[in-house]
Amino acid sequence: MELKKLIYTVNEDGIAVITMNYMKNLNAIDEQMADELMYVVDAAEKDPNVKVVVLKGTDRAFSAGGDIGYFYELIQAGGEVNMDGLISKVGVVADG
């Protein structure tokens, strides 16, 4: 998976760093970021060299929470905002 909103690195000491890197919306979580978070957490979990995972944000924000702009665009396009799927993904990452 190509990461567009995250940076994922693992150093030689086994420290995996997930950096939320989408300052356009202060690292607010939308479906794409949630998918990327699930992907990298799964990769870290499967990597026997990873001993610890650090989640951080870039610049001036860790995360602004849910991406209001993303939800607004869904509504404007006639879609529905289904928070259940997003909450489920973020929950999996939090429990990981």
Side-chain angles (χ1 to χ4, degrees):
M1 167 183 267
E2 180 183 356
L3 301 177
K4 295 184 185 259
K5 296 188 175 186
L6 300 177
I7 300 169
Y8 176 66
T9 59
V10 179
N11 72 17
E12 65 275 353
D13 294 323
I15 300 170
V17 178
I18 302 168
T19 305
M20 299 171 81
N21 187 37
Y22 196 69
M23 289 311 301
K24 178 181 175 183
N25 65 1
L26 298 176
N27 294 323
I29 299 173
D30 59 9
E31 288 285 338
Q32 181 180 359
M33 185 174 283
D35 288 341
E36 289 184 21
L37 281 166
M38 288 182 58
Y39 176 80
V40 296
V41 167
D42 186 55
E45 187 174 45
K46 291 178 179 174
D47 185 342
N49 297 314
V50 172
K51 298 174 187 166
V52 65
V53 176
V54 177
L55 176 62
K56 67 180 194 167
T58 53
D59 208 19
R60 61 188 175 110
F62 171 70
S63 177
D67 186 346
I68 301 299
Y70 167 75
F71 300 131
Y72 180 76
E73 286 177 15
L74 281 177
I75 292 169
Q76 291 298 313
E80 288 185 11
V81 175
N82 180 352
M83 294 296 292
D84 294 338
L86 188 58
I87 290 169
S88 174
K89 290 177 184 179
V90 175
V92 167
V93 171
D95 287 341

